[in-house]
Amino acid sequence: MVGESLTRRVSHWLNVSKRESRHHAYIPLSNVESVSQTSPVSIAIDEGAGTTHVQSENAHEDEKDTADGSDTGGQDSSESPTAEENVMLRRVVDDIPLAAFTIVIVELCERFAFYGLSGVFQNYLQNPLPIGGKGTGAPASVNDPVPAGALNLGQSTASGLQQVFSAFAYVFPLFGAIIADTKWGRYKTITVFCAVYFVGLFIITASSFPFFLRVGLGLPGWLFGAFIVAVGTGGIKANVSPLVADQYRKTDMFIRTINSGERVIVDPSLTISRIYNLFYWCINVGSLSAIVTTQLERRVGFWAAFTLPTCVFVATPLVLISGSKLYYKVAPRGSIIVEVYRVVRLAFKGLLTNPVRFLREARTTGIWNRAKPSLLVSSDDTQDKNIGTSMITWDDSFVDEVKRTARACQIALFFPLYWVAYNQITTNLVSMAATMSTNGTPNDLLANFNPITLIILLPTMDVIVYPSLRRIGIVLRPIFRIWLGFMFAALAMVYSAVLQHFIYSTNPCGEYVGTCAQPSSIIVWVQVPSYVLIAISEIFASVSGLEYAYSESPKGMKSIVMSFFLLMSAVGSVINAFLAPFAQDPNLVRNYTGIALATFVAGNLFYLCFWRRDRNEEYGNAIEKWNPGLDSQEALNS
């Protein structure tokens, strides 16, 4: 018993930064270690995921709609755990509300449609209609080495359009979050944008039928439909994960006596992590839809590959409408994005127009203090000129929160170069596979090794690897994990560059293999490590980055942080769009090499800038161990 108690004390100390105490108001994603195929960045969690839990009813409110969870059963107590119980008692997961399960199904259907659709875009845009085919985009024979195709735009243009589509899909969630916060609320926003999404799916599907391809409506249909899909996914992406979190409304830890007689702590943060674990798992399961659609494009045609996701998506609004009475719906409270913008504008006023004065005031008062109302309304303050004080709707503490948010967002500034490497899996690597010996395998099928790897490794890391390392005293802290993610992404690009070199060396057309009638003799399955390495990098970089920024930002600023991370993903897509004219034969080896070098340098610069934060976290956790009521930020300031 003594050894077990000691083990629990050590485990608590090592993981205290990843657990939510009664005074914490964030969702610790580190307990999940899960990501979507596109990044968390694709999981846009706004402040509702945090503020809902702070503002909702107390921890002991009755929940009518629950589903089976871990360590359920027994008798709940109204008492909160003491400091000693926080260390000694085992923590368990609460029941998961039924409403949360239905929203997870909604996200699974939406991701099935998104990835099933976009998984075949590269072939649809890049390649011509196969000679001898029926005009559907499928080759004349399954064993025909020619890839499926329709619009014949070429690799460069196809990759560029893909990146522009991706950029729009990551920019529009900003507007979806604002609409939900200020006008409609999350449920109505998701429902309305589902209708918009379906219109885009219908247009892309209809324009891919042979008749419309023959009359030249394929490209206009794709452009218009893809834009509408990006708008639709933006409205859903920004709000669906917070809506899931809204359904579990307990906020404080409490004691439960389970059927065996053991007293345990029911931890809402672990319950939220379990919900998101299920949520992210379903995202990756949904992304496997591309396995089916890539087979359909090759065996039937693009109309069939697009029809399947469109039909599955119909389940999304049906589930939402049928489950409407189950959901806890947070009313719109207004968006703070405008206020944050005004604070930043005041804090950095004069940086470009009068840098000497800006630097002087920054040294004397501090950059962020320049936006505090207590300074702005001072009668002898020269900054008060030309400032409409009626526009100041915040207090000094709000400025401090903006400062913390800016600090949390700093780590995202290096991520666009990571996304440049990551986005190769949906564009240039798909084109690379088409130049290899496929033996009837769809060239865009291999991209599914990314979600397959995630589905296998995520629970392995969460249940086996991380706990085993913690038991021997090794804790992989966020900044180090992000650095590891950059290194794995760089390694994936190095492998791709080497593979591309051998492809150029093993076909009769040399560096112009993309237009060669005979593919390389290298079998396509050799490309799998590129996708696996990228998936590993995603586990370390994407989730750890979101987790760190989300947990370090104030509870009212969660939407700002997640929106900023989405924006960085969009910036990465824009960079790739500009690189698209270069990313084609005979430059592909240099393309992958340059991206590998940029990712490697960015990762090391990132670690050089922020490695001290891991040390500060360790110090704060050590203080918090002996002061369980003290949160991490307070610990560092104590």
Side-chain angles (χ1 to χ4, degrees), residues 16 615-625 631-632 635-636:
V16 68
R615 178 175 294 181
N616 292 340
E617 181 193 40
E618 186 174 0
Y619 171 71
N621 291 343
I623 294 177
E624 189 183 0
K625 172 198 171 187
D631 73 15
S632 300
L636 291 175

Side-chain angles (χ1 to χ4, degrees), residues 528-552:
V528 169
S530 292
Y531 294 103
V532 173
L533 289 170
I534 284 289
I536 295 172
S537 79
E538 190 178 358
I539 293 173
F540 287 121
S542 180
V543 173
S544 299
L546 286 171
E547 167 208 329
Y548 180 83
Y550 194 78
S551 63
E552 291 297 313

Side-chain angles (χ1 to χ4, degrees), residues 217-272:
L217 293 179
L219 180 58
W222 185 89
L223 292 172
F224 188 45
F227 178 80
I228 295 177
V229 167
V231 173
T233 194
I236 297 172
K237 186 191 295 289
N239 297 293
V240 67
S241 55
L243 184 63
V244 170
D246 288 345
Q247 306 315 305
Y248 184 75
R249 301 166 64 188
K250 299 179 182 179
T251 61
D252 297 333
M253 293 183 290
F254 59 94
I255 301 296
R256 169 179 291 170
T257 303
I258 60 177
N259 293 334
S260 64
E262 180 188 4
R263 298 177 76 247
V264 297
I265 297 175
V266 177
D267 191 338
S269 71
L270 297 182
T271 307
I272 291 295

Side-chain angles (χ1 to χ4, degrees), residues 168-211:
F168 279 135
Y170 287 121
V171 168
F172 282 122
L174 302 177
F175 301 98
I178 293 174
I179 291 172
D181 286 345
T182 59
K183 298 294 183 182
W184 292 343
R186 296 188 185 94
Y187 174 79
K188 182 178 179 180
T189 302
I190 293 173
T191 305
V192 171
F193 277 89
C194 276
V196 175
Y197 200 126
F198 179 79
V199 172
L201 290 173
F202 180 81
I203 292 173
I204 292 176
T205 302
S207 62
S208 68
F209 276 79
F211 171 78

